[in-house]
Amino acid sequence: MKELHNQLHQESINHPETFWAKAADALSWQTPFAKVLDASDAPMYRWFSGGELNTCYNAVDRHVEAGRGDQVAIQYVSPVTDTEYGITYNELLAQVSRLAGYMASQGVTKGDRVIIYMPMIPETAYAMLACARLGAIHSVVFGGFAANELATRINDAKPKMILSASCGIEPSGVVAYKPLLDDAIAQASHQVEQCLVLSRSQLHADLVAGRDVDWQRAMADAPNIDCQPVAATDPLYVLYTSGTTGQPKGVVRDNGGHAVALAWSMKNIYDINAGDVFWAASDVGWVVGHSYIVYGPLLVGATTLLFEGKPVGTPDPGIFWRTIANYNVKSFFTAPTAIRAIKRDDPDGDFLNDVDLSGLQTLFLAGERCDPDTLHWAEQRLNKPVIDHWWQTETGWPVAANMMGTAPVPVKAGSPALAVPGYDVQVVDEVGEQVPADQTGNVVIKLPLPPGTLATLWQNEARYKESYLSMYPGFYLTGDAGYMDEEGYLYIMSRIDDIINVAGHRLSTGRFEEVLCQHEAVAEAAVIGVDDKLKGQVPLGLVVLKKGCTLSDEQLYKELIAIVRDQIGPVASFRLVSAVPKLPKTRSGKILRGTMRKIADNQNYKMPATIEDPYTLELVRNALTRMGYADAHV
Ligand code: COA
Ligand code: AMP
């Protein structure tokens, strides 16, 4: 099947317009597009310009019109609240058109931004689809972020309305969202006119008079509204992701290219068609949740499983397998860290005994590098293909994958397989020359990127060009380093920037450093991602203290851990910090984070020729050893 994969890939690169025009036939267009690929403003490429459609219509209404109204669209499974129910396409249409009707009655209209700060409940999907119905631009903020991060996003997106809920449910208990929302609004300079707040039965939300509206009450007498056609090139959503600075990047996704690419990927990569059941065990706050919990499965008329829980502890490491069996999930998608958590708690796979997984075809993994041990463990226990695939918030859908729907290729452990049609992936050296097979370099994608990838950064085209297009003109910089073997299999090994990946969550070390420096005792901070058996990486902070700090180490570290949790959120998983007398730097003042990371993880490293003071590396190594890292280094 490698020939077929390569043939499709070649077609997509040599004749992108024919390739994607054919894929666009899978959607319903209000107005046909005039151009498939509009390069008139290159390098700002646009797909399907002149075309009009509505993403919500394509994900909901048209399936009802085609007779799928009684099929379950969203299967909600929430072990943390002991709730399971299905929402049919008919019910989904009723919920979404009414919520959109309410929002429209409050003045939300095409192009307005709406922030969604909600847990993993069906109403979150209704909220996203209701925005799409109106042509409003949603921006979902992950619940594990702190108020300060939410405030940053409020200031950047300037939403007309915020949709939220009283709480999320974590294994540790009920997490109140409303106080975080109130705090964020208080911190933000942008004035939010209205918050629509859903009170869950686990926790009632106190509403602020004149600003907050109760969700159920609003829905009770809201009118239904039809889909508003939007330009294919109009934004559907903005999703913030970590950049190298503390200011997150607002990735803008358009309507047309997004719908075409996702529908194509559901069939060709995930082998999911109308009527099939698909489950992506992620969170709607991340890109995986946008693409493969909400939009992708619904665009093809499948059933999507929306899961509120964790791979372990809710209540045990068998919950994924039982859920797959109970709902006859055909393709299942999660992060390697979730499999590592299950493997840790159930090493022999005992929880798989007596579970009928005959309906499951494939396990897909993404979000972080998949180590071969995890891949083999899953393959052996499940006896199914386990498919690593690689992509990013920016691309919105897989860049390298095994196309299980059309052209599966043999699996090579450690590789997310081949570049997917649409992506001309290359590995280059510092000056942009392609490197030979098996040699590591920067992974780049030749422009134009295919449909469904980021159109720009919200209100910041200059940052888009600077971050992604300036290093190698004509190419998109992925920020990942890796290599390609003789057969074109890609291996993604690390980031080339200061982004770390904690349990599949992307975080900026620059942001951690900014927050640590807010502490009055800290003069300077460096944060690196160190290897972690469960989460892949965890952040580790090294701080240089101002003279005269009188706090005990214990008290200082407690305060630093608390400040990160308070400013970034629990998702940061920040627990490792130590003071050092001085940080290792180059003579030009650049902190040597890469070298410190190698020391922490016991990897070989070269003494950087430009180091200002080699002794600083000894100081760092001592601190790392005390923290349980760098112990075996020779
Ligand atoms: N709302 C509020 N808090 C949240 C949250 C949310 N939506 N999501 C996570 N948190 C909190 C957790 O409660 C935890 O808080 P704690 O420090 O009080 O325990 C903290 O953030 C870290 O959470 P998490 O990253 O989930 O770590 P964990 O140790 O609780 O669980 C795993 C470890 C591996 C089970 C978990 O990380 C996991 O399921 N990972 C899958 C990753 C994934 O799906 N990634 C998406 C990319 S595909
Ligand atoms: P995010 O934007 O949060 O989805 O994170 C994207 C980043 O996660 C990528 O740039 C990679 O660094 C990493 N990543 C995602 N999937 C994989 C994978 N399959 N293999 C290696 N790294 C991955």
Side-chain angles (χ1 to χ4, degrees):
M1 288 292 224
K2 185 150 181 292
E3 291 72 29
L4 180 56
H5 183 116
N6 288 347
Q7 184 196 322
L8 289 168
H9 188 259
Q10 277 307 311
E11 267 174 44
S12 75
I13 301 302
N14 297 339
H15 307 288
E17 301 213 43
T18 329
F19 188 91
W20 291 111
K22 201 164 128 204
D25 284 345
L27 279 308
S28 206
W29 295 82
Q30 187 98 11
T31 311
F33 38 88
K35 265 189 170 170
V36 183
L37 174 62
D38 181 353
S40 57
D41 190 25
M44 305 303 288
Y45 294 91
R46 296 285 176 256
W47 287 94
F48 308 112
S49 53
E52 284 189 317
L53 79 172
N54 183 283
T55 298
C56 179
Y57 177 79
N58 275 283
V60 185
D61 303 51
R62 77 179 168 129
H63 303 310
V64 172
E65 289 169 15
R68 294 202 160 269
D70 291 332
Q71 182 198 308
V72 172
I74 300 177
Q75 178 61 50
Y76 174 52
V77 177
S78 171
V80 290
T81 59
D82 206 12
T83 317
E84 300 191 9
Y85 57 87
I87 299 121
T88 64
Y89 272 101
N90 279 331
E91 289 162 345
L92 183 61
L93 176 58
Q95 293 284 352
V96 171
S97 52
R98 192 182 281 197
L99 179 56
Y102 172 74
M103 291 165 67
S105 74
Q106 301 304 298
V108 175
T109 182
K110 197 190 281 189
D112 285 341
R113 272 81 56 214
V114 173
I115 279 190
I116 301 173
Y117 185 59
M118 295 180 69
M120 284 292 289
I121 52 178
E123 286 81 357
T124 311
Y126 306 162
M128 294 164 75
L129 292 162
C131 291
R133 197 168 188 83
L134 298 176
I137 303 166
H138 63 68
S139 187
V140 183
V141 179
F142 176 61
F145 281 126
N148 184 272
E149 293 288 322
L150 179 57
T152 308
R153 287 154 176 79
I154 292 174
N155 282 339
D156 199 66
K158 301 191 173 40
K160 181 127 188 191
M161 193 184 258
I162 298 184
L163 272 58
S164 191
S166 56
C167 63
I169 322 276
E170 285 295 301
S172 54
V174 171
V175 179
Y177 277 23
K178 188 62 186 6
L180 295 172
L181 175 64
D182 292 339
D183 190 8
I185 292 175
Q187 288 183 41
S189 52
H190 171 74
Q191 289 283 319
V192 179
E193 289 168 28
Q194 189 181 122
C195 298
L196 185 65
V197 184
L198 180 81
S199 268
R200 301 184 73 185
S201 61
Q202 293 78 13
L203 186 70
H204 177 78
D206 291 328
L207 302 183
V208 174
R211 188 198 71 195
D212 297 346
V213 175
D214 177 71
W215 187 298
Q216 303 295 5
R217 198 167 288 177
M219 289 288 277
D221 48 8
N224 290 328
I225 196 167
D226 268 343
C227 294
Q228 312 295 308
V230 297
T233 50
D234 279 344
L236 169 68
Y237 70 76
V238 177
L239 177 58
Y240 289 90
T241 188
S242 297
T244 44
T245 67
Q247 182 68 25
K249 291 169 165 169
V251 165
V252 176
R253 195 90 56 211
D254 68 8
N255 275 275
H258 174 254
V260 171
L262 288 190
W264 185 90
S265 70
M266 286 311 298
K267 289 170 193 287
N268 290 279
I269 297 177
Y270 299 106
D271 195 19
I272 290 293
N273 295 291
D276 290 338
V277 183
F278 183 75
W279 176 16
S282 178
D283 189 287
V284 278
W286 308 115
V287 69
V288 176
H290 281 60
S291 297
Y292 296 116
I293 297 176
V294 181
Y295 289 112
L298 298 179
L299 281 165
V300 297
T303 297
T304 182
L305 200 140
L306 191 138
F307 178 80
E308 186 180 32
K310 299 270 171 172
V312 294
T314 61
D316 58 48
I319 186 66
F320 275 9
W321 316 135
R322 291 193 299 278
T323 305
I324 290 170
N326 288 347
Y327 292 102
N328 203 24
V329 172
K330 182 177 170 192
S331 291
F332 175 54
F333 177 164
T334 190
T337 187
I339 301 296
R340 288 196 295 270
I342 295 172
K343 180 178 158 205
R344 181 195 61 187
D345 288 10
D346 181 23
D348 298 327
D350 291 342
F351 278 88
L352 278 157
N353 296 339
D354 308 322
V355 179
D356 176 9
L357 290 187
S358 55
L360 178 69
Q361 270 186 12
T362 313
L363 165 64
F364 288 90
L365 298 174
E368 57 177 318
R369 181 175 152 70
C370 180
D371 52 292
D373 278 356
T374 303
L375 184 98
H376 293 317
W377 184 88
E379 280 176 337
Q380 283 156 12
R381 297 302 176 293
L382 295 174
N383 206 13
K384 309 273 174 191
V386 178
I387 302 301
D388 178 16
H389 60 322
W390 166 67
W391 49 297
Q392 329 176 285
T393 305
E394 288 85 344
T395 66
W397 62 286
V399 183
N402 204 323
M403 290 202 285
M404 297 308 281
T406 1
V409 294
V411 168
K412 293 192 189 183
S415 167
L418 308 170
V420 165
Y423 292 99
D424 186 352
V425 179
Q426 300 183 13
V427 182
V428 299
D429 63 15
E430 264 148 39
V431 293
E433 292 291 325
Q434 259 183 276
V435 299
D438 297 328
Q439 194 169 307
T440 300
N442 290 343
V443 183
V444 297
I445 306 168
K446 192 166 187 287
L447 297 178
L449 294 177
T453 51
L454 81 170
T456 184
L457 292 179
W458 179 248
Q459 303 281 327
N460 205 341
E461 189 176 302
R463 190 177 180 197
Y464 166 69
K465 288 181 172 160
E466 162 64 26
S467 307
Y468 302 107
L469 309 184
S470 66
M471 190 152 157
Y472 301 110
F475 291 84
Y476 164 85
L477 182 72
T478 66
D480 284 321
Y483 60 93
M484 216 181 249
D485 73 9
E486 293 282 0
E487 289 190 295
Y489 279 68
L490 201 60
Y491 293 77
I492 300 294
M493 305 309 289
S494 60
R495 292 285 306 186
I496 59 172
D497 52 20
D498 296 325
I499 285 173
I500 58 172
N501 195 315
V502 181
H505 309 322
R506 171 170 156 180
L507 299 165
S508 150
T509 55
R511 175 74 186 124
F512 282 93
E513 291 168 6
E514 265 177 30
V515 170
L516 290 173
C517 287
Q518 286 171 16
H519 191 284
E520 57 184 10
V522 174
E524 212 177 0
V527 172
I528 54 174
V530 293
D531 283 353
D532 183 78
K533 270 204 182 101
L534 175 66
K535 298 194 174 186
Q537 282 186 310
V538 287
L540 181 151
L542 296 165
V543 291
V544 178
L545 301 182
K546 289 180 186 157
K547 282 212 175 81
C549 171
T550 52
L551 293 172
S552 67
D553 282 357
E554 196 190 350
Q555 182 59 25
L556 173 73
Y557 300 160
K558 222 164 104 185
E559 288 182 18
L560 291 174
I561 289 168
I563 194 174
V564 171
R565 193 177 170 96
D566 182 57
Q567 295 285 306
I568 302 181
V571 69
S573 297
F574 184 71
R575 293 190 177 86
L576 299 167
V577 62
S578 177
V580 285
K582 210 174 163 192
L583 288 172
K585 289 185 185 168
T586 61
R587 281 189 285 274
S588 61
K590 196 168 169 283
I591 298 175
L592 291 162
R593 293 184 189 80
T595 312
M596 288 194 277
R597 190 164 51 76
K598 285 190 172 140
I599 295 176
D601 294 341
N602 296 312
Q603 291 174 21
N604 289 330
Y605 68 93
K606 273 198 208 134
M607 175 67 70
T610 54
I611 193 165
E612 186 192 29
D613 175 2
Y615 182 58
T616 50
L617 286 184
E618 280 308 305
L619 298 172
V620 162
R621 185 184 310 165
N622 291 342
L624 290 169
T625 308
R626 282 196 302 275
M627 297 162 91
Y629 292 84
D631 43 356
H633 186 77
V634 276

